Amino acid sequence: MILRKWEELPKEMQNEQVRPYYDYLAKHKMSLAAKFLLDKVLAVVLLLILSPIFLVIAIWIKCDSAGEVFFRQERVTRYGKKFRIYKFRTMVKNAESLGSQVTTNADMRVTEVGKKIRACRLDEIPQLINILKGEMSFVGTRPEVPRYVEHYTEKMYATLLLPAGVTSEASIEYKDEERLLSEADNADEVYITKVLPEKMQWNYKGLANQGVFEDIKIMLQTLGAVA
């Protein structure tokens, strides 16, 4: 995983709030390379192991409601690059045209199958494909919806120095985020003004403690949180 030169970063990332995190990562190039290797190897292994579950869920979704098996949504990853994140579809067809991009289990757009697979995070399995494509990592800041990135402060752009992740300490700490947002009158506003800034504090910590062993610890913690 090669870190771009400072002057090659997007202009919005070239600020004094991002610089300390960049300098730290620049001193740990071997650790970044190990993270990249771990992502690729583990993604291949898990895809092979989980392929039967992958197939069962795909059939279950098709039998439950009209629409495609996969949900693809534009998100933001390393250096502000936009990509299509893969998830199993948990909502009704054309759900994005029916409401907010912040989704909760109380959302009427969520299908019955969707509620079940979201409860144990099985809808996230297709993101293994994103990892193989180099768009995501197992551990890192959750990939954000582009219009929410527009609300980033200068410091928040530091989280775009590494690929977006499937899980993180922020994801574990805010595993009940959906419940909080479901109780809000305006979920988008609460997410932007309250949840996002709070989650970023955990993301900064993750950047400052980046390493393979830290990634493995967080992945194990995630398994414990989901179980």
Side-chain angles (χ1 to χ4, degrees):
M1 186 185 295
I2 300 174
L3 192 66
R4 285 185 185 177
K5 293 180 180 180
W6 175 258
E7 57 271 18
E8 294 176 352
L9 294 178
K11 293 299 181 182
E12 61 270 19
M13 296 180 67
Q14 295 182 38
N15 66 70
E16 292 307 310
Q17 296 293 315
V18 172
R19 189 78 204 213
Y21 296 101
Y22 177 87
D23 289 342
Y24 174 82
L25 295 175
K27 295 177 182 177
H28 294 78
K29 293 180 180 178
M30 291 299 294
S31 178
L32 294 180
K35 177 183 178 71
F36 176 81
L37 182 61
L38 175 66
D39 283 341
K40 297 298 184 183
V41 173
L42 192 55
V44 170
V45 171
L46 287 178
L47 273 174
L48 291 174
I49 294 174
L50 298 175
S51 56
I53 297 176
F54 204 106
L55 179 60
V56 169
I57 293 176
I59 295 173
W60 197 13
I61 291 172
K62 289 298 290 184
C63 292
D64 178 63
S65 61
E68 299 182 358
V69 169
F70 297 113
F71 168 71
R72 291 177 288 274
Q73 186 183 43
E74 189 174 64
R75 297 293 179 92
V76 177
T77 188
R78 196 181 196 192
Y79 305 135
K81 180 182 178 181
K82 294 178 182 179
F83 75 105
R84 292 282 177 178
I85 190 173
Y86 292 96
K87 290 187 179 184
F88 281 122
R89 181 176 59 81
T90 60
M91 304 177 74
V92 296
K93 189 176 181 179
N94 298 322
E96 286 188 300
S97 64
L98 303 177
S100 167
Q101 291 190 20
V102 175
T103 312
T104 72
N105 269 342
D107 196 321
M108 295 298 291
R109 298 171 299 168
V110 179
T111 65
E112 288 303 312
V113 168
K115 291 177 183 177
K116 292 179 175 63
I117 64 176
R118 283 166 61 86
C120 48
R121 301 296 194 270
L122 290 177
D123 60 316
E124 310 279 357
I125 293 177
Q127 289 170 43
L128 292 171
I129 300 171
N130 291 118
I131 294 174
L132 284 177
K133 293 174 67 177
E135 297 165 335
M136 292 182 67
S137 177
F138 275 99
V139 177
T141 302
R142 285 295 294 157
E144 198 57 84
V145 175
R147 68 187 183 87
Y148 294 150
V149 176
E150 295 175 4
H151 295 273
Y152 273 19
T153 63
E154 287 189 348
K155 188 176 181 178
M156 288 179 182
Y157 281 108
T159 61
L160 300 180
L161 288 169
L162 295 178
V166 175
T167 188
S168 65
E169 282 192 289
S171 299
I172 297 170
E173 290 295 324
Y174 281 82
K175 63 180 181 178
D176 295 326
E177 174 186 316
E178 291 181 349
R179 179 187 57 77
L180 171 65
L181 294 175
S182 68
E183 296 171 352
D185 292 331
N186 189 326
D188 278 2
E189 182 178 350
V190 171
Y191 180 77
I192 293 169
T193 61
K194 178 177 174 60
V195 178
L196 181 60
E198 291 180 1
K199 288 170 67 174
M200 280 295 176
Q201 299 306 313
W202 291 97
N203 292 330
Y204 301 145
K205 177 185 174 184
L207 276 175
N209 294 287
Q210 193 282 135
V212 171
F213 292 112
E214 184 69 16
D215 280 6
I216 293 173
K217 183 186 80 172
I218 292 173
M219 283 188 273
L220 292 175
Q221 289 176 339
T222 300
L223 290 176
V226 172

